Amino acid sequence: MPTRYDLDRDALADLLTGEPRYRIEQVWDGLHRQLAAPDELTTLPKALRARLTDELPAALDPVATSATPDGDTVKWLFGLDGGARVETVLMHYPDRTTVCVSTQAGCAMGCGFCATGQAGFQRHLTTGEIVEQVVRAARAARDGGRRLGNVVFMGMGEPLANYDRVWPAVRRIHDDLGLSARHLTLSTVGLVPGIRRLAAEDLPVNLAVSLHAANDALRDELVPIGRRYPLTVLMAACADYLRAKGRRLSFEWALIDGTNDRASDADELAELARSLPLPAHVNLIPLNPTPGYPTRGTPRAGVRRFRHLLEERGVNATVRRNRGVDIDAACGQLAARVSRVELTARAR
Ligand code: SAH
Ligand code: SF4
């Protein structure tokens, strides 16, 4: 059975056959603009509300919620149809509120340093499962007096490996939830065919490419899919994306102690970043700890030094704050297991 946000307007119209035409808009608007569940749409006749509650079930079952003590980071663990689980992370910054959504349960790309990769692939999320994560986060933000402004597709899974469901979700978030394309960011491990498809779409969303290494030998080790798409091929696709969209791209770089944080790595990275028609912006993320990867993140001083080296070479870099490490909600830590902290929180 399709869930609440799996239906497009036509499918909703079919579901509402026999009802007055204006009901379609009313329900559509209720689900997307008001972020409401069918039973909350009090402008609808009671019987219709009851039918829609039945026929448009929610896709996500909240299993656990955890938050940092300051409340700035909130993580949900959701159960899905069939038993898979995914996580969604809402982050409040002084000037903006961002949600990080999952696109797959697990991931098949096998990056060893990533908790999702360590868990392996379970299944693709549907469009409705992706959109509903955003809707729930937008509601929580609204309840806290904030407005959800940004969506990053950086949770569990590889968005471009699930293109046919992810792109309709992007459209829906843009067209119906009303977020602008420049506030939507897709993060990819570097799937070249996906980047090329994206370049042909009409919405200029931001593209973040998870690079982590700027030579093929090291990249193949860290990011196994690099063997299929070597850096020259990947950079050509990035350059084409940039030309098509006129928007600067960013490179993600998880700094791993003694592995990709040497001066020579900064040299190679700067060269790659500057090889694009518009230099890429680099996001540095000190590697977050995960159960299956022994090497630690680069210590603070090393992160500063690496950033400085990049800037000396004319490349802008931002160090990403380690949001939510204490609730396993930071980059690469999403593994959809209920941690002890969450279990205690639930028991209370
Ligand atoms: N599959 C996509 C998006 C999800 S991963 C991708 O790889 O881009 C989101 C980001 O978290 C990526 O940049 C990824 O490389 C990074 N990441 C994965 N594991 C990490 C870890 N342990 N510490 C820091 N960043 C990590
Ligand atoms: Fe998948 Fe991204 Fe994790 Fe690699 S880093 S395993 S592509 S989610």
Side-chain angles (χ1 to χ4, degrees):
M1 173 144 73
T3 63
R4 205 164 286 171
Y5 292 95
D6 277 316
L7 267 70
D8 59 17
R9 237 181 247 264
D10 291 341
L12 181 66
D14 285 347
L15 192 75
L16 293 174
T17 306
E19 296 287 336
R21 292 285 308 166
Y22 64 84
R23 291 274 183 242
I24 303 168
E25 262 335 286
Q26 219 175 7
V27 174
W28 192 259
D29 186 82
L31 292 176
H32 297 93
R33 293 282 160 173
Q34 300 169 40
L35 312 170
D39 64 339
E40 294 168 324
L41 299 175
T42 48
T43 49
L44 301 180
K46 221 169 165 183
L48 180 59
R49 247 188 286 161
R51 178 159 83 86
L52 291 179
T53 299
D54 239 32
E55 293 178 14
L56 292 179
L60 309 176
D61 172 28
V63 174
T65 310
S66 38
T68 51
D70 58 13
D72 282 350
T73 304
V74 182
K75 181 177 81 166
W76 290 276
L77 173 64
F78 291 119
L80 307 178
D81 188 33
R85 287 175 167 191
V86 292
E87 292 176 312
T88 306
V89 184
L90 179 65
M91 293 162 287
H92 299 297
Y93 299 92
D95 59 333
R96 66 186 192 282
T97 292
T98 299
V99 66
C100 177
V101 299
S102 295
T103 56
Q104 299 179 313
C107 182
M109 299 296 135
C111 310
F113 53 82
C114 167
T116 309
Q118 289 158 18
F121 178 74
Q122 282 180 280
R123 74 161 168 89
H124 292 306
L125 297 203
T126 67
T127 297
E129 288 166 339
I130 299 167
V131 173
E132 197 177 310
Q133 292 174 66
V134 180
V135 169
R136 284 179 184 258
R139 258 187 94 126
R142 187 180 67 187
D143 292 348
R146 308 278 303 228
R147 202 186 73 81
L148 179 73
N150 306 276
V151 180
V152 296
F153 293 78
M154 294 187 182
M156 298 170 69
E158 167 51 41
L160 299 186
N162 186 16
Y163 198 101
D164 293 336
R165 297 166 195 88
V166 168
W167 188 255
V170 168
R171 283 245 59 125
R172 190 85 66 78
I173 292 162
H174 175 270
D175 298 350
D176 300 295
L177 298 179
L179 276 78
S180 73
R182 77 200 149 80
H183 291 142
L184 309 179
T185 302
L186 290 187
S187 178
T188 179
V189 69
L191 299 188
V192 168
I195 295 173
R196 298 211 169 274
R197 275 180 84 179
L198 210 55
E201 303 286 0
D202 54 351
L203 290 181
V205 297
N206 300 311
L207 184 63
V209 176
S210 299
L211 212 55
H212 310 311
N215 67 70
D216 282 316
L218 180 59
R219 192 158 197 274
D220 291 354
E221 220 176 278
L222 295 175
V223 180
I225 197 70
R227 287 174 214 143
R228 178 124 29 116
Y229 308 108
L231 284 165
T232 46
V233 176
L234 177 57
M235 287 307 121
C238 288
D240 288 345
Y241 187 81
L242 210 151
R243 278 188 211 101
K245 300 293 165 213
R247 188 157 296 172
R248 192 180 62 174
L249 201 101
S250 54
F251 289 160
E252 308 288 305
W253 193 278
L255 277 165
I256 310 173
D257 198 21
T259 302
N260 64 356
D261 59 358
R262 302 156 300 180
S264 60
D265 297 304
D267 267 338
E268 289 170 348
L269 169 56
E271 201 168 307
L272 271 195
R274 291 172 45 199
S275 71
L276 294 177
L278 201 63
H281 183 92
V282 175
N283 285 316
L284 298 172
I285 323 157
L287 188 82
N288 293 310
T290 57
Y293 196 73
T295 319
R296 299 286 95 172
T298 302
R300 210 177 264 263
V303 174
R304 265 201 307 273
R305 188 178 47 88
F306 196 83
R307 176 175 174 209
H308 185 68
L309 288 173
L310 290 177
E311 301 213 308
E312 267 180 357
R313 286 155 181 72
V315 173
N316 288 325
T318 311
V319 178
R320 286 242 220 108
R321 283 172 55 202
N322 268 338
R323 274 297 183 127
V325 172
D326 35 354
I327 55 168
D328 277 353
C331 297
Q333 294 188 308
L334 305 184
R337 59 197 153 71
V338 181
S339 69
R340 242 186 328 230
V341 182
E342 284 157 349
L343 283 173
T344 352
R346 285 173 77 196
R348 259 189 257 127

